[in-house]
Short mmCIF file of all heavy atoms in Angstrom, two decimals:
data_model
loop_
_atom_site.label_atom_id
_atom_site.label_comp_id
_atom_site.label_asym_id
_atom_site.label_seq_id
_atom_site.Cartn_x
_atom_site.Cartn_y
_atom_site.Cartn_z
N VAL A 256 138.87 177.30 123.48
CA VAL A 256 140.15 178.01 123.49
C VAL A 256 141.12 177.41 122.49
O VAL A 256 140.92 176.26 122.06
CB VAL A 256 140.84 177.94 124.89
CG1 VAL A 256 140.14 178.80 125.92
CG2 VAL A 256 140.99 176.50 125.37
N PHE A 257 142.08 178.25 122.02
CA PHE A 257 143.14 177.71 121.24
C PHE A 257 144.41 178.61 121.38
O PHE A 257 144.26 179.76 121.83
CB PHE A 257 142.74 177.60 119.72
CG PHE A 257 142.29 178.87 119.06
CD1 PHE A 257 143.11 179.58 118.19
CD2 PHE A 257 141.04 179.41 119.30
CE1 PHE A 257 142.72 180.72 117.51
CE2 PHE A 257 140.59 180.57 118.66
CZ PHE A 257 141.44 181.19 117.76
N SER A 258 145.55 178.08 121.02
CA SER A 258 146.75 178.91 121.10
C SER A 258 147.25 179.21 119.72
O SER A 258 147.00 178.46 118.76
CB SER A 258 147.86 178.24 121.93
OG SER A 258 148.49 177.20 121.20
N VAL A 259 147.95 180.31 119.55
CA VAL A 259 148.58 180.73 118.33
C VAL A 259 150.06 180.93 118.61
O VAL A 259 150.44 181.59 119.57
CB VAL A 259 148.03 182.05 117.77
CG1 VAL A 259 148.91 182.63 116.66
CG2 VAL A 259 146.61 181.85 117.27
N ASN A 260 150.91 180.24 117.87
CA ASN A 260 152.36 180.22 118.09
C ASN A 260 153.08 180.56 116.79
O ASN A 260 152.94 179.78 115.83
CB ASN A 260 152.81 178.86 118.63
CG ASN A 260 151.96 178.40 119.82
OD1 ASN A 260 152.31 178.67 120.95
ND2 ASN A 260 150.86 177.72 119.54
N HIS A 261 153.83 181.64 116.71
CA HIS A 261 154.56 181.94 115.51
C HIS A 261 155.56 180.87 115.13
O HIS A 261 156.37 180.42 115.98
CB HIS A 261 155.33 183.25 115.66
CG HIS A 261 154.47 184.47 115.64
ND1 HIS A 261 154.96 185.77 115.38
CD2 HIS A 261 153.14 184.63 115.86
CE1 HIS A 261 154.01 186.63 115.42
NE2 HIS A 261 152.87 186.00 115.75
N VAL A 262 155.59 180.48 113.88
CA VAL A 262 156.66 179.62 113.39
C VAL A 262 157.91 180.52 113.25
O VAL A 262 157.82 181.63 112.71
CB VAL A 262 156.32 179.03 111.99
CG1 VAL A 262 157.48 178.19 111.42
CG2 VAL A 262 155.06 178.17 112.15
N THR A 263 159.06 180.00 113.78
CA THR A 263 160.28 180.74 113.65
C THR A 263 161.30 179.98 112.77
O THR A 263 161.03 178.75 112.47
CB THR A 263 160.95 180.94 115.03
OG1 THR A 263 161.19 179.67 115.63
CG2 THR A 263 160.03 181.72 115.99
N VAL A 264 162.32 180.65 112.41
CA VAL A 264 163.34 180.01 111.53
C VAL A 264 163.87 178.69 112.07
O VAL A 264 164.20 177.78 111.30
CB VAL A 264 164.50 180.95 111.23
CG1 VAL A 264 164.05 182.08 110.27
CG2 VAL A 264 165.09 181.57 112.48
N ASP A 265 163.90 178.57 113.37
CA ASP A 265 164.46 177.36 113.97
C ASP A 265 163.53 176.15 113.99
O ASP A 265 163.98 175.03 114.21
CB ASP A 265 164.84 177.65 115.47
CG ASP A 265 165.92 178.72 115.58
OD1 ASP A 265 166.77 178.76 114.68
OD2 ASP A 265 165.90 179.42 116.59
N ILE A 266 162.27 176.32 113.74
CA ILE A 266 161.29 175.22 113.78
C ILE A 266 160.50 175.11 112.49
O ILE A 266 159.41 174.54 112.55
CB ILE A 266 160.40 175.31 115.05
CG1 ILE A 266 159.59 176.63 115.05
CG2 ILE A 266 161.18 175.14 116.32
CD1 ILE A 266 158.42 176.66 116.08
N ILE A 267 161.06 175.54 111.42
CA ILE A 267 160.33 175.43 110.12
C ILE A 267 159.99 173.95 109.84
O ILE A 267 158.88 173.60 109.44
CB ILE A 267 161.12 176.07 108.98
CG1 ILE A 267 161.19 177.58 109.13
CG2 ILE A 267 160.57 175.64 107.63
CD1 ILE A 267 162.10 178.27 108.10
N GLU A 268 161.01 173.08 109.97
CA GLU A 268 160.81 171.70 109.59
C GLU A 268 159.78 171.01 110.46
O GLU A 268 158.84 170.30 109.96
CB GLU A 268 162.12 170.94 109.65
CG GLU A 268 163.15 171.51 108.70
CD GLU A 268 164.26 170.57 108.31
OE1 GLU A 268 164.37 169.51 108.97
OE2 GLU A 268 165.05 170.85 107.38
N GLN A 269 159.83 171.23 111.76
CA GLN A 269 158.85 170.65 112.66
C GLN A 269 157.46 171.22 112.37
O GLN A 269 156.43 170.48 112.43
CB GLN A 269 159.21 170.91 114.12
CG GLN A 269 160.54 170.27 114.60
CD GLN A 269 161.70 171.24 114.46
OE1 GLN A 269 161.87 171.91 113.40
NE2 GLN A 269 162.58 171.24 115.53
N ALA A 270 157.41 172.50 112.19
CA ALA A 270 156.12 173.14 111.95
C ALA A 270 155.41 172.65 110.68
O ALA A 270 154.23 172.32 110.69
CB ALA A 270 156.25 174.69 111.84
N HIS A 271 156.23 172.52 109.63
CA HIS A 271 155.66 172.01 108.33
C HIS A 271 155.17 170.56 108.50
O HIS A 271 154.17 170.19 107.90
CB HIS A 271 156.73 172.09 107.24
CG HIS A 271 156.25 171.79 105.90
ND1 HIS A 271 155.44 172.64 105.17
CD2 HIS A 271 156.40 170.67 105.08
CE1 HIS A 271 155.17 172.12 104.01
NE2 HIS A 271 155.71 170.88 103.95
N GLN A 272 155.88 169.79 109.29
CA GLN A 272 155.56 168.38 109.48
C GLN A 272 154.17 168.22 110.15
O GLN A 272 153.52 167.20 109.98
CB GLN A 272 156.61 167.69 110.33
CG GLN A 272 156.49 166.16 110.42
CD GLN A 272 156.64 165.45 109.08
OE1 GLN A 272 157.15 166.04 108.09
NE2 GLN A 272 156.14 164.24 109.02
N THR A 273 153.72 169.21 110.89
CA THR A 273 152.37 169.08 111.56
C THR A 273 151.25 169.03 110.53
O THR A 273 150.11 168.70 110.85
CB THR A 273 152.12 170.25 112.52
OG1 THR A 273 151.99 171.51 111.82
CG2 THR A 273 153.16 170.40 113.58
N ALA A 274 151.58 169.35 109.29
CA ALA A 274 150.53 169.32 108.21
C ALA A 274 150.28 167.86 107.73
O ALA A 274 149.33 167.62 107.04
CB ALA A 274 150.93 170.18 107.01
N ALA A 275 151.12 166.94 108.11
CA ALA A 275 150.92 165.55 107.70
C ALA A 275 149.68 164.98 108.38
O ALA A 275 149.27 165.44 109.44
CB ALA A 275 152.13 164.67 108.09
N ARG A 276 149.01 164.05 107.70
CA ARG A 276 147.72 163.53 108.17
C ARG A 276 147.93 162.44 109.22
O ARG A 276 147.79 161.25 108.90
CB ARG A 276 146.87 163.05 107.03
CG ARG A 276 146.44 164.17 106.11
CD ARG A 276 145.64 163.70 104.88
NE ARG A 276 145.33 164.84 104.05
CZ ARG A 276 144.22 165.50 104.17
NH1 ARG A 276 143.30 165.22 105.07
NH2 ARG A 276 143.98 166.59 103.37
N TYR A 277 148.22 162.84 110.44
CA TYR A 277 148.36 161.84 111.48
C TYR A 277 147.02 161.36 111.95
O TYR A 277 146.01 162.02 111.80
CB TYR A 277 149.11 162.47 112.70
CG TYR A 277 150.55 162.80 112.41
CD1 TYR A 277 150.93 164.11 112.15
CD2 TYR A 277 151.51 161.76 112.27
CE1 TYR A 277 152.30 164.41 111.83
CE2 TYR A 277 152.81 162.10 112.00
CZ TYR A 277 153.22 163.39 111.73
OH TYR A 277 154.49 163.70 111.45
N SER A 278 146.99 160.14 112.47
CA SER A 278 145.76 159.59 113.01
C SER A 278 145.33 160.36 114.28
O SER A 278 146.24 161.02 114.91
CB SER A 278 145.85 158.11 113.34
OG SER A 278 146.81 157.93 114.35
N SER A 279 144.11 160.30 114.70
CA SER A 279 143.66 161.13 115.78
C SER A 279 144.21 160.70 117.14
O SER A 279 144.07 161.45 118.11
CB SER A 279 142.10 161.14 115.84
OG SER A 279 141.65 159.84 116.03
N ASP A 280 144.84 159.52 117.23
CA ASP A 280 145.39 159.16 118.57
C ASP A 280 146.88 159.51 118.63
O ASP A 280 147.51 159.12 119.61
CB ASP A 280 145.14 157.65 118.81
CG ASP A 280 145.72 156.79 117.72
OD1 ASP A 280 146.30 157.35 116.72
OD2 ASP A 280 145.69 155.54 117.83
N GLU A 281 147.39 160.22 117.67
CA GLU A 281 148.80 160.67 117.74
C GLU A 281 148.84 162.18 117.77
O GLU A 281 148.23 162.85 116.99
CB GLU A 281 149.55 160.12 116.47
CG GLU A 281 151.06 160.42 116.57
CD GLU A 281 151.82 159.62 115.50
OE1 GLU A 281 151.17 159.10 114.53
OE2 GLU A 281 153.02 159.56 115.58
N SER A 282 149.57 162.73 118.73
CA SER A 282 149.68 164.21 118.82
C SER A 282 150.76 164.67 117.88
O SER A 282 151.87 164.14 117.80
CB SER A 282 150.06 164.61 120.23
OG SER A 282 150.37 166.03 120.21
N GLU A 283 150.45 165.77 117.17
CA GLU A 283 151.44 166.39 116.24
C GLU A 283 152.62 166.92 117.05
O GLU A 283 153.73 167.14 116.50
CB GLU A 283 150.82 167.46 115.43
CG GLU A 283 149.85 166.95 114.34
CD GLU A 283 148.44 166.69 114.91
OE1 GLU A 283 148.22 166.94 116.10
OE2 GLU A 283 147.60 166.21 114.12
N PHE A 284 152.42 167.30 118.36
CA PHE A 284 153.54 167.71 119.12
C PHE A 284 154.65 166.60 119.19
O PHE A 284 155.76 166.86 118.86
CB PHE A 284 153.10 168.00 120.54
CG PHE A 284 152.49 169.34 120.81
CD1 PHE A 284 151.11 169.51 120.90
CD2 PHE A 284 153.27 170.47 121.00
CE1 PHE A 284 150.55 170.73 121.09
CE2 PHE A 284 152.70 171.72 121.23
CZ PHE A 284 151.30 171.86 121.27
N ASP A 285 154.16 165.40 119.53
CA ASP A 285 155.17 164.25 119.62
C ASP A 285 155.72 163.92 118.21
O ASP A 285 156.90 163.75 118.01
CB ASP A 285 154.46 163.02 120.14
CG ASP A 285 154.02 163.27 121.58
OD1 ASP A 285 154.59 164.07 122.26
OD2 ASP A 285 153.02 162.63 121.96
#
Side-chain angles (χ1 to χ4, degrees):
Chain A
V256 289
F257 59 104
S258 76
V259 166
N260 308 268
H261 285 201
V262 176
T263 61
V264 287
D265 297 329
I266 57 168
I267 290 171
E268 300 201 348
Q269 295 94 316
H271 187 75
Q272 188 64 18
T273 65
R276 293 177 182 269
Y277 293 104
S278 63
S279 59
D280 57 358
E281 188 168 13
S282 171
E283 291 82 2
F284 278 99
D285 297 333

